[in-house]
Amino acid sequence: MNELTYNIPLHLLSAYRRERLVVRTDEPAALVAALEPEDPERVAGVQIVSLAADSEPLNAWAPGLPLELILRDPVAEFPLLYRHTNLLDNHPMRVIIPVAPGFGKAVKAAVSLDFAVRLDVGQPEPALIEEMAVVLEFYLHQSTVAQPVEYFHGALQGFFHGEPTPLWVLQDDDPQYLRYVTDEGVEQPSRRLVDLNANIALDADLGEWIARALAAEEECQGCEFLNSCGGYFKWPRRDYDCAGVKRLFGDLRDAAAELRRDLDAGST
Ligand code: SF4
């Protein structure tokens, strides 16, 4: 059985010494110094929250440990990705890029440097949907893209195999297994569920979360992409217009069908 993983800021490490952790910090050297010998076994990953940080202390530390670089301002910060490429030698690496104006430049830079990517997507307005469509096109059709760009990659695989995975899982926001602890020490069931006020047991499984709380609204229950989305885009604002994100899900579904047709044609 999976155990809960707590995403905590480094300064709360002493309060969470018994839990499985993802630790976020802008001081990698301080993280290495703060951990006790038995701690690394409980650290499932590290998030570096400032690209200006010196990540060198993590290069040879705990090889194999997944590391994530978090961009705040994708246009201003993507040139700093070059500083962290040495980490690729010893760690599975992923760059988290907020879907904000101009974010496509950061995606292209990250994948060209061989980083995997996860898009940190909120509730994108129409102009951002158009930018996402361009990035999706790039991801689907550029033969040079060797690394996954989530959530596009996981959703495409879900459509292709007929086994959709809700975005709560693909986006590391699954309230069944994750807890997000704010810098102020407030525990949330997920990073996204900041104002959750639902009558549901915290240890409920994700299907129950989706049916009873996350996608309980009529629009989600009747949505053709419910199994791939899980109501993700209705948080935090429940009145968000999903027309644009449904279009992107449709593009992913079409791409999966095309891929299936190409594979079937190639095998006959
Ligand atoms: S796309 Fe929108 S309506 Fe459909 S399941 Fe997701 S949040 Fe609900």
Side-chain angles (χ1 to χ4, degrees):
M1 193 181 85
N2 286 352
E3 61 178 314
L4 275 178
T5 298
Y6 289 77
N7 183 315
I8 66 164
L10 177 57
H11 70 266
L12 293 179
L13 184 64
S14 58
Y16 285 85
R17 289 243 182 240
R18 305 172 78 88
E19 284 78 13
R20 181 179 155 86
L21 301 174
V22 170
V23 184
R24 53 183 200 272
T25 182
D26 60 359
E27 292 183 85
L31 168 69
V32 174
L35 289 168
E36 295 181 357
E38 69 277 16
D39 282 336
E41 292 172 20
R42 294 181 306 100
V43 177
V46 169
Q47 293 182 325
I48 303 167
V49 300
S50 167
L51 264 72
D54 175 10
S55 62
E56 197 280 332
L58 296 178
N59 281 1
W61 177 76
L65 184 74
L67 305 182
E68 292 183 315
L69 296 163
I70 299 180
L71 276 71
R72 305 281 182 204
D73 180 340
V75 174
E77 290 180 314
F78 81 83
L80 298 176
L81 286 170
Y82 289 92
R83 289 188 183 184
H84 304 280
T85 51
N86 284 348
L87 294 173
L88 287 160
D89 292 343
N90 290 313
H91 299 278
M93 294 291 306
R94 191 160 72 162
V95 179
I96 299 179
I97 299 174
V99 174
F103 79 98
K105 285 181 188 166
V107 173
K108 287 180 182 172
V111 297
S112 71
L113 292 171
D114 225 19
F115 291 114
V117 168
R118 174 165 71 75
L119 301 179
D120 184 11
V121 60
Q123 295 179 298
E125 296 306 325
L128 275 177
I129 292 287
E130 296 311 318
E131 289 196 46
M132 290 178 74
V134 172
V135 171
L136 176 57
E137 181 72 16
F138 167 76
Y139 170 65
L140 291 174
H141 299 298
Q142 275 285 338
S143 56
T144 51
V145 180
Q147 292 293 340
V149 176
E150 297 292 5
Y151 66 95
F152 295 155
H153 180 77
L156 181 72
Q157 286 203 317
F159 286 123
F160 182 79
H161 295 293
E163 293 176 359
T165 301
L167 287 195
W168 299 98
V169 177
L170 297 179
Q171 295 289 93
D172 284 351
D173 265 321
D174 181 350
Q176 183 178 2
Y177 294 123
L178 299 172
R179 292 290 174 270
Y180 185 82
V181 184
T182 68
D183 290 353
E184 295 73 35
V186 178
E187 275 184 27
Q188 299 175 183
S190 117
R191 201 171 33 94
R192 197 171 185 90
L193 298 174
V194 286
D195 61 348
L196 178 75
N197 185 16
N199 184 21
I200 184 165
L202 282 179
D203 61 353
D205 76 26
L206 182 60
E208 196 177 343
W209 270 97
I210 289 172
R212 292 189 49 207
L214 306 179
E217 292 178 16
E218 205 175 318
E219 183 182 350
C220 290
Q221 287 301 311
C223 178
E224 60 185 319
F225 301 114
L226 174 60
N227 291 336
S228 299
C229 175
Y232 194 77
F233 287 107
K234 288 296 186 191
W235 293 86
R237 279 191 296 111
R238 249 64 104 231
D239 63 353
Y240 175 71
D241 179 353
C242 284
V245 294
K246 288 180 184 177
R247 189 184 114 207
L248 297 176
F249 275 126
D251 291 346
L252 284 158
R253 182 179 58 190
D254 293 349
E258 188 182 331
L259 188 57
R260 170 65 65 198
R261 278 196 301 276
D262 289 350
L263 285 175
D264 290 348
S267 65
T268 55

